[in-house]
Amino acid sequence: MNESKKFRQLALRMKLRRWIVTVLIAVIVVLVAIPVTYKLTQMRAAKVSTEIMRDMEMNDQLISPNIEVSDQYLGNTSVLGGQVISHRYKEIEGYRVPWSAVTRDYSWLTGGSRSLSNATDQNEASLYDRETEQKIPMFFNQRATRPNLKATHDLTKIAQAKNAVVEIALTFDRPLTYQQVQAKLPAGLHSQWYWIGVSGTADPTAMDNNLLGLSVKDKIKHHRLPERLTQDDYRSFYQGLKYAASHTSNIVFDDFSLYKYAGQYARRYSTANRAKFAGVIVTGNSEDFRSLSKANWIYASSAGFFKQRTAIK
């Protein structure tokens, strides 16, 4: 064998060895990179889904009028992401009322969706939950220049009804404290959710039922006297308002910034005894609403859930 042929064989062996080494390095890199990449993408997805859950919890606490939450969990998960799902309902005088679920997509690649929680349909006079088509009790702003819906006065109709269970939103003629409202409500009626109002000429009927307010259902569930709103009751709501004000994902309707107003309200009313509200959602039997039909402190009234009483709830 001449020197030239030996050299070609040696070069071929070296080239083959380099290819084998290169392939082995590539395989090792891939084997290491796949789990590391998967771990990083799942960490990113977990961060996004956690942010969405916190955002949904904030909405449940602040902008879901008289709506309660059954659960919150991750569903339809995949390598790319999944969904945060929350089922909701209303509890009205012992009757369980279905309400629209909230579903938000998330992905490690694109982040999370920013859909609103309370999409609505409407006719000429009313709003309805888009998924269940349950009627929504509405609030109104006296200063709205061109309201989406005109103020309604359903108390007169409710007062004439018999043997019915009712949910109704009362918009006050002027802001009232919790104690003032309790003093004005007849026995037998239960205040459930207090609306903090809007600023300027903002129209609450054009906000897809995304209204800022305070739930007092826990006081009723735990059989605590509802005549007094304590600072402990108010604290989590107040902290929620401050968090919403600093939140980067704002909700704006025309020129009205929902979370900006939350911050303004928190700065104005830092304690429970000073807080004033623009309206309240009340539930009870239709007969107990009769004394309110001519109350001069009520600007508007809008019925939501209405059902004839039955022995079985």
Side-chain angles (χ1 to χ4, degrees):
M1 184 180 294
N2 57 39
E3 294 298 324
S4 177
K5 190 173 182 179
K6 289 181 178 179
F7 179 78
R8 286 196 298 270
Q9 288 179 344
L10 178 62
L12 181 62
R13 286 197 296 270
M14 291 180 65
K15 186 176 182 180
L16 183 60
R17 187 180 302 167
R18 284 198 300 270
W19 274 106
I20 293 173
V21 171
T22 301
V23 170
L24 288 175
I25 291 174
V27 169
I28 293 171
V29 168
V30 169
L31 291 176
V32 172
I34 287 177
V36 171
T37 302
Y38 178 78
K39 181 66 175 179
L40 291 175
T41 58
Q42 294 309 294
M43 288 174 62
R44 165 64 178 164
K47 181 180 179 182
V48 173
S49 63
T50 300
E51 290 173 352
I52 289 177
M53 285 184 170
R54 180 67 184 92
D55 189 53
M56 287 171 62
E57 288 172 358
M58 179 180 67
N59 290 348
D60 293 337
Q61 180 190 15
L62 299 179
I63 62 172
S64 298
N66 204 29
I67 303 169
E68 301 197 54
V69 177
S70 295
D71 53 28
Q72 187 185 87
Y73 63 94
L74 300 181
N76 302 318
T77 56
S78 67
V79 175
L80 294 177
Q83 293 178 317
V84 182
I85 303 169
S86 179
H87 294 99
R88 306 187 302 169
Y89 65 96
K90 287 191 174 187
E91 188 78 30
I92 300 174
E93 299 296 319
Y95 291 90
R96 182 64 65 95
V97 183
W99 209 257
S100 59
V102 178
T103 302
R104 289 180 57 175
D105 300 323
Y106 71 91
S107 167
W108 63 266
L109 187 62
T110 59
S113 64
R114 297 294 183 184
S115 58
L116 294 182
S117 302
N118 299 313
T120 62
D121 292 328
Q122 74 173 67
N123 60 18
E124 294 181 356
S126 303
L127 292 179
Y128 298 86
D129 178 65
R130 181 162 294 171
E131 184 176 321
T132 64
E133 294 303 327
Q134 297 282 357
K135 189 173 181 294
I136 295 171
M138 298 181 295
F139 293 102
F140 302 90
N141 181 8
Q142 299 182 60
R143 293 178 293 175
T145 52
R146 298 179 62 184
N148 176 51
L149 293 171
K150 294 182 180 179
T152 57
H153 305 277
D154 291 340
L155 270 174
T156 302
K157 300 175 185 177
I158 297 301
Q160 295 172 354
K162 296 181 180 180
N163 301 318
V165 172
V166 182
E167 173 199 35
I168 191 167
L170 306 178
T171 302
F172 306 147
D173 185 62
R174 58 183 177 81
L176 300 172
T177 65
Y178 183 90
Q179 291 82 0
Q180 288 172 330
V181 177
Q182 290 301 312
K184 292 176 180 293
L185 289 177
L189 298 185
H190 304 119
S191 59
Q192 307 283 0
W193 192 87
Y194 281 75
W195 179 46
I196 68 173
V198 293
S199 62
T201 59
D203 180 12
T205 66
M207 296 181 183
D208 274 341
N209 202 31
N210 292 285
L211 306 176
L212 289 163
L214 166 68
S215 174
V216 294
K217 281 183 175 290
D218 286 341
K219 291 172 70 67
I220 298 172
K221 283 182 179 179
H222 294 94
H223 306 288
R224 294 174 55 195
L225 294 175
E227 286 79 9
R228 181 169 169 265
L229 181 69
T230 68
Q231 188 61 24
D232 286 341
D233 300 321
Y234 187 74
R235 184 173 292 108
S236 62
F237 173 66
Y238 172 73
Q239 294 295 337
L241 291 175
K242 292 202 301 181
Y243 176 82
S246 63
H247 203 257
T248 55
S249 176
N250 208 344
I251 301 177
V252 180
F253 300 96
D254 293 329
D255 295 328
F256 178 73
S257 170
L258 198 70
Y259 291 161
K260 180 179 178 181
Y261 183 73
Q264 294 170 346
Y265 186 91
R267 287 191 294 272
R268 186 175 183 182
Y269 300 117
S270 59
T271 59
N273 62 343
R274 294 182 60 242
K276 289 189 176 182
F277 303 95
V280 64
I281 293 179
V282 178
T283 63
N285 296 321
S286 54
E287 295 85 354
D288 294 325
F289 284 92
R290 289 174 183 169
S291 62
L292 291 180
S293 59
K294 296 182 179 180
N296 59 10
W297 54 276
I298 297 175
Y299 166 70
S301 54
S302 171
F305 177 77
F306 181 96
K307 180 182 178 63
Q308 293 299 127
R309 288 199 299 272
T310 59
I312 300 175
K313 296 183 179 182

